[in-house]
Amino acid sequence: MGSCSTSAPEARTFSATGLLILQVRDGRIVHARDYMDSLGTYRELDQLPALVAALRT
């Protein structure tokens, strides 16, 4: 697992954690899966309460 940093539209820096799994055959990537901690990203952006409210409607 790792983390990356990027900027939100408000130019605020945040971190997002994710995992990239590659399947390699004969030296070539034949399959890729990307898993991100979406709830953690919403939390970092202070948007988790808005997400929960939207899911309740």
Side-chain angles (χ1 to χ4, degrees), residues 23-42:
Q23 181 180 4
V24 179
R25 186 176 301 129
D26 298 325
R28 302 187 96 163
I29 298 172
V30 295
H31 190 79
R33 285 215 131 142
D34 188 13
Y35 299 93
M36 298 300 294
D37 178 11
S38 299
L39 291 178
T41 301
Y42 276 97

